[in-house]
Amino acid sequence: MLPIPDKSFCAFHSYRTMRHPVGTVAHVMLVLLLFMGPCGASSAANQTATITVYPNSVTGPVNRNILGNNVLVHTPKFDEQLANRGGGIWDPARKKPVDEYVALAKKAGVSFVRWPGGDHSRILDWKLTVGPVQNRATHQFGLPEFLTFCAAIGAQPIITVATKVGSEADAADLVEYLNAPDNGKNPNGGVDWAAVRTRDGHKEPWNVVWFEYGNEEFNSNRSVNEYVGRYQAYQTKMKAVDPKIKLGAVFEDSTNVDDGWTYTILKHAGRQVDFGVIHPYLLKLNERAAKEIPKNQVALSAVSADADLAYRLTQYRELIKRVTGRDDLPLAVTEYNGDFTQEFPVPYRYTLVNALHNADFVRIFLKPELNVALATYWLFSNSYWGLVSGYPYMGEPLVKQANYYVYELYNKYLGDNLIRMEISAPRFEFPGALGISPRVGATTSRQETAYTQNAPKSWDRRLFREGSQSQSGDVVTVDFDGKTDANYFHATREIDVEPDTLYKISVKARTIGLKEGRVGIAVEDIRGWDKNFFQPSNVYLSGTTDWSWVTVEFRTPADAKKIRVLARRHKGGGLVSGRAEFGEMRVVKIKQSFGAVESVVGTASIGAKGNELSAVVINKNLNDSVETVIDTGGSFQFVSAESLTGPSPFATNSDLFQPPTVKTAPVAVRQVDERRYALQLPAASVTGIMFRKK
């Protein structure tokens, strides 16, 4: 059974034994046994909610740029479906978009499309994707084809600029290809790229505005200082061709605001950055961890993540203001999803409960005060994450996955202006899991106190064969020999901790001539990664740097006694050379909760003429429907309502040749009186409701 609001104390107590992150296998088995006991019986209690909308209280415009999506280019290993068909959206024989995919994209309201997306964008030379198709056999879905698809569905493009190939001059050439008039002026010199665009079938400029410099560069081998310098150089060259373009800088996906990648970008280039790029994959689960963690823990984590997202976006806004003084630097969420990289016991990425997770994220992105300029879901078609699956040219049907219906509902039931909406519904408490914070109590709270319990004064070291290390006082010095791609974790400190508690651990570190790699710290439970599947890190120092604090926040498991802090360099960056030094450590204990989970949440909006009133409502009760009364104020009458739901929170449409089990269906609505209407929100559902002026 999945715990829900207003259950008996017995059932809720069983649920509260699950903590974040999961501890030992024995602990997981205890949780399963508790759920299999008598407390696991489903509740017969009816859930109720009331919703009041205020048509005359506009809170801001509806930003439909939130309903964006991603399409992929092929990976370094040639993939016909991606390279020549764009993941199914392009027909290379007819040299046009696939009609069925165009229709589905329009119905989902796809407003922005990001290309090329993913790590391969770092090494994609855009010049190989333009020109005569017969000369690019492995890029028949290239830049002009991508732009043609965008035009066909009425979406704006956002283009990722490569960071590992090309130069700022090549990026300026890209802007010339896209935006310069074909009048022979050739503003960047060399090849007349506007003329190439005309030969590609589009004489008029595409007038592309949005670009981002790189993809998740904080995970690359480049130092933050190098990234800042290159960002500024690229921006200058690109804007010299077209000053209207915007270039986004990649921010680190972390709540850390004291130091690190994002802080450094803002400190050195914050006045120039056009927008910050983030990828908030908050909920993380891989194949190995999925074998240990109960399905219900995954489901409750998915529907409890909204507060973490809102907190993280607020932290970015406050950091930007504190470091730059700016209120006008927006965020672009160019990837997001539940980060489910597994198939067992079900492919969670395709489930109904992940659709609820993403619907909740869209709701947060729409809040004007968070200043999110655009959001692009990962990913539109086929591949591993697609909203839509199937290749018609192979005789496959096109199947809408559960996530697709989220965007279809928002597109249909969003008006022009957001309006105030109040919801009264039960809440439920969630102790935290899979990287999602606890949700307990009535209000959000955070209190920090210095923590010194048995914290060691110096580092413990183990034998390091890929270089040398020494220690003087509380400083460990590591010299990498340049002969290996070293995976360094050989200096550690252990701390006695309290269970189920959030800690902020900071270590002072610096680098001297460090090449082909970055260093920082990681934190894990003393029992190690293979018992907890959780090791957050902050690894960003490279080159030569001053001493600075490197910080990680870590929530201990329910049965934790000790944690381990590791001086860290991840393998995969190349043959690393140079020096890293790790010194003083400080620990802060944090008491934080975002308040209990609201079981019913939503967004209300009104049309520009004030004639149509609509709402999108999410029922996070995973087992029970909710009897809901909506007060529209008396001036509107019911038009339509439909809900996305399925036979269970874990239902999917992943079998292309079976009828879909997760889909939308009409919902009955009855009038209570002149101003109120009642309907039953299905368990685990997203519902769109429309009213029209009487």
Side-chain angles (χ1 to χ4, degrees):
M1 132 187 163
L2 294 170
I4 57 175
D6 294 350
K7 293 292 192 227
S8 67
F9 173 80
C10 182
F12 181 62
H13 178 72
S14 298
Y15 173 55
R16 285 184 59 86
T17 62
M18 298 179 356
R19 301 294 185 181
H20 158 72
V22 171
T24 62
V25 174
H27 175 67
V28 175
M29 291 306 298
L30 173 60
V31 171
L32 289 172
L33 288 170
L34 285 166
F35 273 94
M36 293 168 61
C39 295
S42 180
S43 170
N46 291 324
Q47 304 296 316
T48 62
T50 59
I51 299 175
T52 305
V53 294
Y54 298 88
N56 297 321
S57 182
V58 172
T59 60
V62 166
N63 179 14
R64 287 184 172 269
N65 294 340
I66 298 304
L67 303 181
N69 233 291
N70 276 264
V71 297
L72 264 179
V73 73
H74 73 81
T75 58
K77 182 178 180 181
F78 174 72
D79 185 327
E80 162 70 17
Q81 308 300 350
L82 298 179
N84 293 339
R85 298 183 180 275
I89 65 176
W90 187 257
D91 184 339
R94 299 169 64 209
K95 296 183 174 58
K96 61 177 293 187
V98 174
D99 293 339
E100 296 93 327
Y101 272 108
V102 169
L104 287 171
K106 288 181 175 180
K107 198 170 183 181
V110 177
S111 53
F112 259 83
V113 185
R114 176 174 176 254
W115 178 91
D119 285 344
H120 186 49
S121 63
R122 296 175 184 165
I123 59 173
L124 178 66
D125 182 351
W126 71 269
K127 293 178 179 178
L128 301 177
T129 75
V130 301
V133 175
Q134 61 269 24
N135 295 341
R136 46 185 172 98
T138 61
H139 285 101
Q140 293 179 58
F141 180 77
L143 180 55
E145 290 75 28
F146 162 69
L147 294 165
T148 300
F149 175 75
C150 290
I153 67 173
Q156 291 191 63
I158 177 169
I159 295 174
T160 310
V161 177
T163 55
K164 288 191 174 181
V165 298
S167 66
E168 54 265 41
D170 293 301
D173 285 343
L174 171 61
V175 177
E176 180 181 326
Y177 175 90
L178 295 167
N179 294 354
D182 182 12
N183 56 12
K185 290 188 176 180
N186 189 13
N188 204 43
V191 173
D192 187 340
W193 288 104
V196 175
R197 182 190 68 236
T198 295
R199 291 194 294 272
D200 283 346
H202 203 272
K203 181 175 177 59
E204 295 303 313
W206 286 105
N207 294 320
V208 175
V209 173
W210 296 82
F211 300 82
E212 55 181 319
Y213 183 53
N215 176 77
E216 298 181 7
E217 295 303 306
F218 50 88
N219 285 329
S220 74
N221 202 30
R222 177 169 290 125
S223 73
V224 63
N225 291 325
E226 182 184 356
Y227 178 83
V228 169
R230 287 173 65 89
Y231 171 87
Q232 292 171 316
Y234 272 62
Q235 187 194 56
T236 299
K237 282 282 191 179
M238 294 170 72
K239 289 197 173 191
V241 178
D242 182 356
K244 296 187 298 298
I245 68 104
K246 299 178 186 292
L247 184 64
V250 174
F251 289 178
E252 186 178 19
D253 297 317
S254 168
T255 57
N256 175 43
V257 296
D258 296 321
D259 51 63
W261 179 276
T262 304
Y263 176 86
T264 306
I265 289 174
L266 292 171
K267 180 179 178 181
H268 295 291
R271 300 300 299 175
Q272 291 79 46
V273 170
D274 293 315
F275 60 96
V277 176
I278 62 171
H279 292 175
Y281 291 103
L282 304 188
L283 186 65
K284 300 178 182 294
L285 188 72
N286 62 21
E287 194 78 47
R288 186 175 179 184
K291 294 178 181 179
E292 303 278 353
I293 296 173
K295 290 168 67 176
N296 28 10
Q297 186 169 357
V298 175
L300 284 157
S301 299
V303 297
S304 303
D306 55 321
D308 278 289
L309 175 64
Y311 174 73
R312 181 167 296 190
L313 295 176
T314 300
Q315 289 288 91
Y316 283 123
R317 304 300 315 144
E318 292 176 353
L319 177 64
I320 291 167
K321 178 68 173 179
R322 174 165 60 87
V323 177
T324 71
R326 294 178 61 181
D327 289 318
D328 62 340
L329 199 166
L331 299 171
V333 184
T334 59
E335 289 183 27
Y336 68 96
N337 208 326
D339 194 3
F340 297 118
T341 55
Q342 45 68 238
E343 301 294 329
F344 174 88
V346 294
Y348 286 125
R349 64 191 180 280
Y350 289 139
T351 57
L352 173 61
V353 79
N354 192 42
L356 268 62
H357 168 85
N358 289 314
D360 220 6
F361 273 38
V362 172
R363 178 181 68 86
I364 298 297
F365 296 149
L366 284 167
K367 293 180 178 292
E369 64 270 22
L370 296 176
N371 199 17
V372 176
L374 65 97
T376 51
Y377 169 91
W378 184 268
L379 157 78
F380 179 61
S381 61
N382 290 301
S383 191
Y384 192 77
W385 302 92
L387 286 179
V388 184
S389 301
Y391 290 94
Y393 85 99
M394 296 174 62
E396 295 177 349
L398 287 187
V399 174
K400 302 174 185 177
Q401 299 299 334
N403 288 302
Y404 175 88
Y405 293 99
V406 167
Y407 300 91
E408 186 179 69
L409 283 171
Y410 272 113
N411 184 44
K412 184 175 180 179
Y413 291 97
L414 274 176
D416 299 297
N417 292 299
L418 298 169
I419 58 175
R420 185 160 66 96
M421 178 168 68
E422 295 177 352
I423 300 177
S424 176
R427 294 174 176 249
F428 61 89
E429 294 194 336
F430 168 66
L434 303 181
I436 305 306
S437 297
R439 303 290 302 276
V440 297
T443 59
T444 297
S445 62
R446 183 181 175 97
Q447 180 182 0
E448 298 187 9
T449 56
Y451 186 81
T452 58
Q453 186 171 345
N454 293 333
K457 298 295 184 183
S458 61
W459 296 85
D460 291 326
R461 290 173 291 138
R462 66 177 73 178
L463 181 63
F464 178 52
R465 299 181 183 276
E466 297 164 304
S468 63
Q469 57 181 350
S470 60
Q471 183 162 332
S472 176
D474 65 351
V475 176
V476 165
T477 299
V478 185
D479 288 295
F480 297 97
D481 60 16
K483 299 177 182 178
T484 60
D485 184 10
N487 186 30
Y488 182 76
F489 50 88
H490 296 71
T492 62
R493 286 181 169 180
E494 296 179 1
I495 310 168
D496 292 338
V497 293
E498 300 171 18
D500 193 25
T501 303
L502 183 64
Y503 292 90
K504 181 164 70 174
I505 300 100
S506 301
V507 170
K508 230 173 188 181
R510 69 173 178 176
T511 54
I512 302 171
L514 189 70
K515 297 179 181 179
E516 301 300 323
R518 301 184 304 179
V519 299
I521 64 169
V523 183
E524 66 183 12
D525 182 74
I526 194 68
R527 290 163 292 189
W529 160 259
D530 58 350
K531 297 295 184 183
N532 291 274
F533 312 104
F534 189 63
Q535 189 194 80
S537 63
N538 185 1
V539 178
Y540 76 97
L541 297 176
S542 187
T544 298
T545 65
D546 295 330
W547 284 102
S548 59
W549 290 104
V550 182
T551 301
V552 168
E553 289 192 2
F554 182 84
R555 179 169 294 279
T556 57
D559 51 353
K561 295 181 179 179
K562 285 179 179 288
I563 60 175
R564 179 184 296 118
V565 181
L566 304 92
R568 197 75 172 97
R569 189 265 178 181
H570 295 289
K571 186 176 182 178
L575 304 182
V576 59
S577 62
R579 173 171 290 185
E581 296 180 343
F582 305 89
E584 178 187 354
M585 183 176 73
R586 64 187 183 193
V587 181
V588 173
K589 184 170 71 171
I590 302 171
K591 291 185 177 181
Q592 175 172 284
S593 172
F594 293 121
V597 180
E598 299 167 296
S599 63
V600 176
V601 296
T603 298
S605 57
I606 196 164
K609 296 180 179 180
N611 293 329
E612 290 187 335
L613 173 69
S614 56
V616 178
V617 180
I618 305 167
N619 178 15
K620 300 184 183 185
N621 291 282
L622 300 177
N623 285 340
D624 289 348
S625 60
V626 177
E627 179 69 21
T628 304
V629 174
I630 302 178
D631 186 340
T632 65
S635 300
F636 293 85
Q637 60 187 6
F638 169 73
V639 175
S640 64
E642 55 190 306
S643 289
L644 165 64
T645 191
S648 88
F650 308 106
T652 76
N653 298 335
S654 54
D655 188 335
L656 300 188
F657 296 97
Q658 293 294 325
T661 61
V662 183
K663 54 189 176 181
T664 54
V667 177
V669 174
R670 64 187 185 278
Q671 188 164 359
V672 177
D673 54 33
E674 184 177 322
R675 55 188 297 155
R676 295 184 302 160
Y677 293 84
L679 73 160
Q680 198 85 6
L681 299 176
S685 65
V686 184
T687 300
I689 313 160
M690 178 74 71
F691 300 91
R692 189 167 290 125
K693 197 94 170 188
K694 293 180 180 177

